[in-house]
Amino acid sequence: MAPSISSHVIDIHTHIYPPSYLNLLSSRTTPPQLLQPGGSSPDNPPPPPRLIILPSDAPSANPDIPPSKLGRPIGPEYSSPSSILSFMSTHKISISILSLANPWLDFLPSSSAAEWASSINDELNAISAESRGRIYAFGCLPLSAPIPAITAEIARIASPTTCPYIRGIILGTSGLGAGLDDPAMDPIWATLQDRNLLAFIHPHYGLPSEVLGARAQKDSGHVLPLSLGFPLETTIAFTRMYLAGVFDRFPSLSVLLAHAGGAVPALAGRVQSCVEHERGYYDHDGDREEEEGRKRVRGPKRTLAEVLGQNVYLDAVSYGTTGLRAAVDVVGNDRVMFGTDHPFFPPLGEERGEWTSVVTNMEAARGVFGEDGEGMEGVLGGNAIRVFGLDVEALKD
């Protein structure tokens, strides 16, 4: 008998740097780039390449640190489908939806972005096709390309005959360069809505260094950027979308917010209160009025609670019950989905087998749902199967 939906664990937040993408980064001399440290000998294998994503990690910013100590070491878990499948088996994950990890293609010139997006999306689809039903993917977009090229790639990957394993797209918070509330993004939102493709919104740029403080990296490495900078980046980007009326103009647009929505669940009530009080100084119906020669929207027509309950999904990458419980409270049991954020937060020291980061998120779900087996099963897999139309029957073969 085929396994029931409730028996499957689905990982909707897991990343890959496909081999072609690593080759692209290897050709670069400024971040993002992939360094190939020297120092190998017949008796000593070469050290792993180092991924430099942030300018603060670049060799030019750290002249006293050897290249083999900069950035992040990149092993096979970052790019090898077989390593990803092994990780899935270790953690009893039935299906993963892979996405290109940050910084995606944001850094490419306009002239080459569309070609690279198509190539990588085809590569992700091919990896999925070879996995015997265990891997699907979110596509990437050539956001530095002209708008027609971006919308054309959305239409292409949405085709079930062209990219049958693509289930949405991933994008960062900068959009075309001016944020996700930029009116120039409207053709992209419209195409995603029309093609019924979800947008997975993921951070990369963090908060300005002056906010984190001059001692942040020296004293605590990447703790502040990753623990606070990333979630707050997502929080601000999504709230800007809401305030700009994106979900009024595109009422069927679906978005997935990374890292349990950042601070959105905790601050949703405060945001709504501020919107209502600010609108008290103006009109209350969202009508457009002439002001300084421009038309200005006085505020979103829909409440934030409506948008969260109808347009927003959250992953369960929270690492604790408090954040996950808040996520479930604001969007509902049926709109939260399990994720691992693999291959980041790998095992510590000599740790082997199950990753502590994955186990922590599993335990958080158990802590939130307790005896509520239906809610637990939905978050771990059932919700993702429904939302993304995953073919669990193919796993029988």
Side-chain angles (χ1 to χ4, degrees), residues 137-180:
F138 292 127
C140 59
L141 297 182
L143 292 177
S144 59
I147 291 291
I150 301 173
T151 56
E153 182 61 12
I154 294 172
R156 192 185 75 87
I157 64 176
S159 169
T161 58
T162 304
C163 293
Y165 295 95
I166 300 294
R167 288 298 188 267
I169 60 97
I170 186 170
L171 76 164
T173 62
S174 67
L176 301 173
L180 301 183

Side-chain angles (χ1 to χ4, degrees), residues 105-140:
L105 303 176
D106 293 6
F107 57 90
L108 289 177
S110 175
S111 59
S112 61
E115 182 179 358
W116 269 106
S118 294
S119 176
I120 289 176
N121 288 333
D122 288 344
E123 188 172 6
L124 291 172
N125 191 70
I127 290 171
S128 302
E130 294 169 0
S131 73
R132 299 176 62 85
R134 298 197 66 194
I135 292 176
Y136 291 77
F138 292 127
C140 59

Side-chain angles (χ1 to χ4, degrees), residues 100-106 139-141 143 169-181 185 189 199-205 233-234 237-238 241:
L100 182 65
N102 53 306
W104 313 287
L105 303 176
D106 293 6
C140 59
L141 297 182
L143 292 177
I169 60 97
I170 186 170
L171 76 164
T173 62
S174 67
L176 301 173
L180 301 183
D181 56 347
M185 287 285 295
W189 301 133
F200 180 18
I201 298 175
H202 192 288
H204 166 66
Y205 300 93
E233 176 188 343
T234 303
F238 167 74
M241 288 177 68

Side-chain angles (χ1 to χ4, degrees), residues 99 230 262 320:
S99 54
F230 269 26

